[in-house]
Amino acid sequence: MKAVFISRHGGAEVLECGERPRPEPGKGEVRVRVKACALNHLDLWVRAGLPGVEIPMPHILGSDIAGIVEKLGKGVSRPKVGTPVIITPGIGCGKCKHCGSGWTSLCDQFMIMGFRRDGGYAEYVVVGAKNVIPVSTRYRFEEWAATPLVFLTAYHMLVTRAALKKGETVLVHAAGSGIGSAAIQLAKTLGAKVITTAGTDEKLAKAKKLGAWGLINYQHANFTDEVKRLTKGRGVDVVFEHIGPATWTGSLASLAKKGRLVTCGATSGPKAEIDLRFLYMKQLSIFGSYMGGDGELRKVMRLLSLGKLKPVVDSLFPLEQARSAHEKMESRDFFGKIVLTI
Ligand SMILES: [Zn+2]
C-alpha cells in the first residue's frame, strides 16, 4: 500500500513516501481504507524523536483517522463493510479498571495511533473493531478526520476535569490551534463566556465566529492585563492551558479566586514555575489532563453529528505532500486542522 513513513528521526525531510505492506485484520479487528488523516503536534514530536521513547522503524505517523471499513477480521460482524468511521486515537487494553471506568488514557497499555503503533498516513490501517466509531454523512472525511483528538482532549479537559459550568468565564489559549478552535466551541456549547488569544487579528475574527467573546491579540497586549480588563478585575474561572512556560505564569495570574487551570500540553517546553503563596491564598486548583476515554469520544461525536460542534479545517494536502503539511504546521500560519487526503 502507499504510505508516508519515517525510517529515522529528524526534520520534515525524513518523511518518505513509498510502499509498505498492507496490514491484515486479525481476530476481532477491522481494516479501514483511510480517506483522511489530520496532523497533530504529536506528529512533529514523534517525527523529531522524544527522549526515552523508542519508536519501531519504519514508522507510519498519524493519530486522527477517518475512512471506510473495508475488511472484517475473524469474529467481527459489525460495523459492516462500507461503513464510514473514525478511529479512536487512543487505544487501551479494554480490560483493566481504567478502561472499564472510561479513563482509557490511564491504562498501562495505552497507545496512541501513529505514536507507538502505525497510524493513518497510509491507504490502510488495522484496529480493533471496538476502536472504530461509525459517523454520519453530515461531514466529509477530511472534516471528520479533523475532530477526534482535539475534541476528545477538549471535552476531557473542560467537562471531566475542570467541570466548566454555564455562566462561567474561560480563557482558551491559541484560538488558531486545533485544540483551541475545538475548546472555544465546546466551552460556548456548555454556556460559558470564552476569552481567547491569537497572534493575528485575522485569527481572532475567525475565533469570534466560533463563539469567542473576549479577543486578545497577544502580539499587542499582555494577555493577563487584558483578561483582568475584560472581567473587570475578577479574572476567569477556568484557564485552558496547552502552551506551557511561555504562558504559564500569566495563566495562573489570570485566574479568579478559586479558579481552575487545566493543562494538556507543553508546546513551549516541559518546565514551569508556581508561586505557592499565590496558589494557596487564592485557593486555586490545577488539573492535568491527557486525551480521554471512548465514552467521552462517543459523546463528543454525537455533538458533532448534531451540528452543535463543527470541524475546523485549515487546509488539505494530498498524502504525497505530507512534508509540506508538516512545514505548514511548523510555520504556525494556520487556523484549525491541517489534513492529509488519501
Ligand atoms: Zn486498560
Side-chain angles (χ1 to χ4, degrees):
M1 65 173 180
K2 189 170 69 181
V4 166
F5 55 90
I6 56 171
S7 302
R8 62 191 166 92
H9 294 295
E13 73 284 353
V14 302
L15 295 166
E16 299 170 56
C17 189
E19 287 290 319
R20 296 292 305 147
R22 186 172 68 173
E24 280 302 316
K27 195 176 169 216
E29 293 181 325
V30 297
R31 185 163 71 203
V32 173
R33 168 68 176 91
V34 181
K35 303 295 279 183
C37 182
L39 269 65
N40 288 285
H41 264 281
L42 181 66
D43 302 18
L44 306 185
W45 290 326
V46 175
R47 191 201 69 206
L50 288 155
V53 181
E54 183 99 11
I55 307 283
M57 297 287 181
H59 176 69
I60 301 173
L61 300 166
S63 312
D64 267 332
I65 304 162
I68 298 169
V69 175
E70 186 254 353
K71 188 177 179 185
L72 306 180
K74 237 180 152 182
V76 179
S77 57
R78 41 184 76 231
K80 299 251 176 283
V81 167
T83 308
V85 293
I86 58 109
I87 294 175
T88 60
I91 294 179
C93 74
K95 295 172 197 145
C96 73
K97 67 170 185 184
H98 298 301
C99 287
S101 64
W103 287 69
T104 317
S105 54
L106 291 179
C107 174
D108 286 340
Q109 291 170 44
F110 185 68
M111 290 243 209
I112 299 176
M113 293 297 295
F115 182 13
R116 280 157 60 216
R117 57 182 284 168
D118 277 342
Y121 289 19
E123 284 181 294
Y124 298 94
V125 71
V126 161
V127 288
K130 61 181 185 303
N131 297 115
V132 296
I133 300 178
V135 292
S136 70
T137 51
R138 184 176 193 115
Y139 301 117
R140 298 190 301 271
F141 285 110
E142 52 266 34
E143 293 174 305
W144 279 121
T147 64
L149 203 146
V150 287
F151 279 100
L152 171 61
T153 303
Y155 188 95
H156 192 65
M157 288 173 78
L158 291 177
V159 179
T160 310
R161 301 298 276 146
L164 181 67
K165 288 185 272 300
K166 193 178 173 180
E168 288 191 317
T169 309
V170 56
L171 168 65
V172 175
H173 281 294
S177 62
I179 187 84
S181 59
I184 291 168
Q185 293 186 66
L186 185 59
K188 172 85 178 165
T189 306
L190 293 167
K193 224 169 167 180
V194 183
I195 299 174
T196 193
T197 66
T200 70
D201 290 344
E202 194 194 345
K203 287 185 185 181
L204 289 172
K206 289 181 181 171
K208 193 176 178 186
K209 281 195 185 141
L210 293 180
W213 160 77
L215 308 169
I216 301 171
N217 185 327
Y218 62 73
Q219 301 284 8
H220 301 148
N222 174 296
F223 76 83
T224 310
D225 293 343
E226 283 299 293
V227 165
K228 287 283 156 71
R229 189 180 65 78
L230 289 162
T231 57
K232 299 189 169 65
R234 185 180 164 271
V236 291
D237 301 291
V238 172
V239 174
F240 185 93
E241 237 311 324
H242 54 108
I243 311 290
T247 51
W248 184 261
T249 304
S251 290
L252 282 173
S254 300
L255 285 171
K257 288 173 182 168
K258 279 175 83 182
R260 294 100 74 198
L261 182 150
V262 58
T263 180
C264 73
T267 39
S268 64
K271 294 201 174 161
E273 278 190 3
I274 297 174
D275 184 333
L276 293 171
R277 297 164 299 179
F278 188 74
L279 183 75
Y280 62 69
M281 284 174 75
K282 286 179 89 176
Q283 306 199 46
L284 307 176
S285 305
I286 298 175
F287 296 95
S289 192
Y290 185 48
M291 290 184 63
D294 297 353
E296 291 170 304
L297 184 58
R298 282 172 202 277
K299 278 183 196 162
V300 97
M301 285 294 139
R302 206 168 307 129
L303 290 171
L304 281 150
S305 285
L306 293 170
K308 294 193 174 174
L309 302 170
K310 290 190 170 63
V312 183
V313 176
D314 174 83
S315 46
L316 303 177
F317 289 83
L319 179 65
E320 298 78 1
Q321 290 173 25
R323 229 179 253 192
S324 305
H326 273 229
E327 284 160 1
K328 172 124 183 141
M329 184 159 230
E330 282 164 333
S331 78
R332 283 205 197 173
D333 179 22
F334 59 90
F335 190 95
K337 301 293 285 180
I338 300 164
V339 184
L340 299 173
T341 55
I342 296 136

